[in-house]
Amino acid sequence: MIDILSKLIKLAQISGGIDSVCQLDGSWYLDNTANAPNAVLHMIIEGEGYLKIKGESKVIPISQGDILFFPRGEAHILSSQSQCDNTLAVPYTKSQEYLTVRHSSGTVVNFKLFCAHFSYDKKAVLFQNLPPWFKVNLPDNQWQPLWSLLSQEIETKPGHQQIIDNLSTVLFTFILRAYLAKPEAHTIGILHGMQDPRLAPLLYEIVKDPAIDWTITEMSKKTFLSRAQFIRIFKQQIGITPHLFVQKIRLQQAAYLLRTTLNSVTNIAALVGFQTETHFIKAFKKYYSVTPKNYRVEQLKNDRNPARVTNDA
């Protein structure tokens, strides 16, 4: 399959970090409050437990190798008990520089997990059609080497934060790959469209170079569909019109350039396919609720003073 996923991850401006490591035994209860707008991840390294989404009655078993991903930080409970009602069994907490370590009173660990967060461009098409949460299970040869590296870096070493952030982004990529392999997981949106052999090459070309004059005629030719068929299938698979999709990718590319380059607003407008700076500024402000100039200022402030997001687990 054409590697559109790498392009979408780049445009989503994803950054991540490890928040806490839990080493538990016996009865334990972890209450995870809503953490929007950040994504939250739990990876079970050892043992078994249960997940319950707040507001829902269903309880989901979890076990070693499972990764629980909450794209918008959905509130949830993790527990050793199938009813998730042992609310007094809250682990002890110890702060370790940037990391929180949670442990039970016992000496034998029989459940271990680590928790991470991801921040991203809230307008990224990659995230727009993801469900409130999902579970995937990675094979041992993927999660075990990653955990080995992460656990080594959790010991404070020079440059450890950069390495941990990069490894967590690698883990995010593995998660999305596993999610894509679930046939019931994506029914509409860019991840769904990527699976359509008629649309996938076109989607890649648009994401790769949104500045091209992507007319309906040009796009339909690349899919070998009539104009009417193309518009119908595109909207059916992606959930929006072709023109709106192109517009979103252009604006996300612009946001990425504003954050990572010193190009002027005028140059960026041209680089992503807008005919005039005025049109670009108007479209950008409508999409991001801020002007391109102010977006750049805000992102620079965030990059200089990155807030470490903490989870309850």
Side-chain angles (χ1 to χ4, degrees):
M1 183 179 69
I2 293 175
D3 187 17
I4 187 176
L5 190 57
S6 295
K7 301 288 184 180
L8 292 170
I9 289 174
K10 179 180 178 180
L11 288 185
Q13 302 184 53
I14 297 165
S15 62
I18 308 301
D19 299 314
S20 62
V21 175
C22 301
Q23 304 179 55
L24 310 170
D25 74 326
S27 181
W28 49 267
Y29 179 91
L30 300 168
D31 187 345
N32 296 263
T33 56
N35 205 11
N38 295 286
V40 173
L41 171 150
H42 304 300
M43 182 168 181
I44 291 80
I45 304 301
E46 178 183 333
E48 298 177 345
Y50 298 90
L51 162 70
K52 184 177 181 180
I53 307 301
K54 290 188 179 181
E56 299 182 9
S57 59
K58 185 178 180 181
V59 175
I60 300 97
I62 55 176
S63 59
Q64 178 178 299
D66 282 346
I67 296 180
L68 314 175
F69 191 65
F70 304 82
R72 290 166 287 280
E74 193 89 354
H76 57 281
I77 294 165
L78 300 175
S79 173
S80 59
Q81 303 298 313
S82 60
Q83 298 303 312
C84 295
D85 57 0
N86 54 333
T87 57
L88 298 180
V90 178
Y92 299 99
T93 299
K94 180 177 70 174
S95 295
Q96 181 179 308
E97 194 178 2
Y98 68 95
L99 186 71
T100 298
V101 179
R102 290 182 169 82
H103 60 91
S104 303
S105 57
T107 57
V108 178
V109 173
N110 56 29
F111 187 84
K112 184 185 293 184
L113 82 159
F114 75 81
C115 309
H117 75 273
F118 295 91
S119 60
Y120 56 91
D121 181 347
K122 301 309 175 289
K123 295 294 186 177
V125 296
L126 181 60
F127 282 81
Q128 287 178 356
N129 293 105
L130 290 177
W133 77 277
F134 59 84
K135 179 177 77 168
V136 297
N137 190 284
L138 295 183
D140 291 349
N141 63 1
Q142 285 187 355
W143 73 262
Q144 286 183 346
L146 271 174
W147 169 244
S148 178
L149 288 170
L150 284 166
S151 58
Q152 290 176 43
E153 292 302 325
I154 286 170
E155 304 293 332
T156 304
K157 297 178 181 179
H160 65 280
Q161 190 58 67
Q162 184 66 42
I163 293 174
I164 286 176
D165 286 354
N166 288 339
L167 287 173
S168 61
T169 305
V170 171
L171 178 57
F172 172 79
T173 304
F174 282 150
I175 293 169
L176 278 188
R177 286 178 180 172
Y179 176 72
L180 282 170
K182 298 165 73 73
E184 76 283 2
H186 38 89
T187 57
I188 198 169
I190 182 66
L191 294 177
H192 184 56
M194 286 165 53
Q195 308 305 304
D196 190 319
R198 298 165 298 183
L199 297 181
L202 171 66
L203 293 173
Y204 174 77
E205 291 297 327
I206 293 172
V207 173
K208 179 183 177 183
D209 193 357
I212 290 175
D213 184 16
W214 290 110
T215 63
I216 294 295
T217 299
E218 181 65 23
M219 288 188 280
S220 60
K221 281 182 180 178
K222 287 185 174 292
T223 60
F224 300 100
L225 297 167
S226 69
R227 286 173 57 93
Q229 284 180 314
F230 168 69
I231 293 171
R232 177 179 57 80
I233 291 172
F234 193 98
K235 192 169 182 180
Q236 181 182 62
Q237 301 287 67
I238 309 298
I240 56 177
T241 66
H243 279 144
L244 184 54
F245 178 79
V246 172
Q247 178 92 324
K248 286 187 173 187
I249 296 298
R250 284 175 174 171
L251 292 170
Q252 286 173 47
Q253 177 70 24
Y256 175 80
L257 293 173
L258 286 165
R259 184 173 184 174
T260 60
T261 76
L262 296 177
N263 287 336
S264 69
V265 171
T266 302
N267 286 342
I268 289 174
L271 285 171
V272 301
F274 284 87
Q275 298 300 311
T276 67
E277 181 180 353
T278 301
H279 182 204
F280 167 62
I281 292 173
K282 183 178 179 180
F284 192 93
K285 187 174 182 180
K286 182 178 180 181
Y287 194 59
Y288 282 97
S289 300
V290 65
T291 65
K293 181 179 179 180
N294 287 340
Y295 177 89
R296 171 174 272 167
V297 170
E298 289 177 4
Q299 295 307 313
L300 286 174
K301 286 180 181 178
N302 292 338
D303 292 342
R304 290 184 186 127
N305 302 290
R308 301 303 299 176
V309 179
T310 58
N311 300 313
D312 295 319

